[in-house]
Amino acid sequence: MKAVGYNTPGSIDRDDALLDIELDKPKATGRDLLVAVRAVSVNPVDYKIRQTRPADGNVPAVLGWDAVGEVVETGDAVSNFKPGDMVWYAGAINRTGTNAEYHLVDERIVGRKPNSVTDAEAAALPLTTLTAYEMLFDRLRVNEPVSGGANAVVIIGGAGGVGSIAIQLLRALTDMTVIATASRAETKDWVKKIGAHHVIDHSEALAPQIEALGIGQPGFVFSTNQTGSYIEQIAELIAPQGRFGLIDDPEQLSIMPFKVKAVSLHWELMFTRPLFETPDMARQGDILNEVAQLVEDGTIKSTTTDSLGIINASNLKRAHAMLESGKTRGKLVLEGF
């Protein structure tokens, strides 16, 4: 089968950073589905792993943790899907990725693809949706108010893939005020379009902009990128006993500024449940099915902003370079081989 992989980690500008390769077609066993991949999207985790993780022996590493496709084979323990089903999912970080014609995935972390959108539009959503949903509802528990705090969430990096779906989930499933940060005209327009009540500029001091809104100190802050640069500002703007969550990888992170307000800190890694096969691993499939219905209802829109063509090394290299620039909005997708 066709696939895209690499042997040596490093920068994207190398000729062999990503390569078109041929691999054996896998076979489904146990609770696995074998999926014929129709579309994928690209996430920061793809380039972070490509930069640092070597291939395992002589077998090239295949990236990709977002996919839409058709089930073509099921393992003997599968109970929820059958060949012919169209599915979407974000996979597991410790398994071979989705940048391949066929891909194995555990049925518990798979949902049924919404029919009202194209394969490419659907492929933009699983990883970021799971990340945002788990952070908002499982980690920060935004439906449980912070005493004295404004019923509001600040999303730092609102125009990115995770921020874009977090805004929509909050508007769809809560009555909270959504405050998103953005700094460029196009990203400000984007977060307004997808539902943010207020937009503030993260290139300027955050607390005075929040204060100027006149709603009080938000009970929740969700930081999606450059968290290390905003710790002091977050500690200043968040309500006492507020809840703060992050998903990026700051080189240094001092949580001492949060002590005086007794702010709790919450990490989110979408891969935790499948990586450790937690007892509630199937919640990811449930979340994807819930959001699929929201997509069908027109409540949630795809966050696709650019389609870069078929799934091959050249197009994936371009996608990685665009993400590494830090200037993308929404999601980048590729479709077919």
Side-chain angles (χ1 to χ4, degrees), residues 155-165 167 180-182 190-191 194 202 224-225:
I155 300 176
I156 297 175
V162 174
S164 295
I165 191 62
I167 292 168
T181 79
W190 172 255
V191 295
I194 58 177
H202 51 235
T224 68
N225 58 43

Side-chain angles (χ1 to χ4, degrees), residues 64-148:
W65 288 279
D66 256 332
V68 165
E70 179 183 352
V71 176
V72 294
E73 183 180 290
T74 61
D76 55 6
V78 168
S79 59
N80 296 322
F81 298 93
K82 64 184 184 306
D85 287 343
M86 290 297 296
V87 296
W88 65 342
Y89 58 90
I93 200 169
N94 58 333
R95 301 189 68 176
T96 297
T98 59
N99 294 336
E101 283 188 276
Y102 295 93
H103 182 252
L104 289 174
V105 61
D106 190 300
E107 68 165 339
R108 289 171 288 183
I109 58 173
V110 174
R112 297 183 184 277
K113 180 233 169 190
N115 295 320
S116 60
V117 293
T118 67
D119 294 342
E121 289 170 333
L125 291 173
L127 187 147
T128 53
T129 293
L130 289 167
T131 299
Y133 194 109
E134 289 184 348
M135 173 60 85
L136 294 171
F137 300 105
D138 294 355
R139 315 292 178 229
L140 294 179
R141 307 185 314 282
V142 296
N143 286 325
E144 300 176 23
V146 170
S147 179

Side-chain angles (χ1 to χ4, degrees), residues 55-70:
D56 185 10
N58 296 322
V59 180
V62 176
L63 302 171
W65 288 279
D66 256 332
V68 165
E70 179 183 352

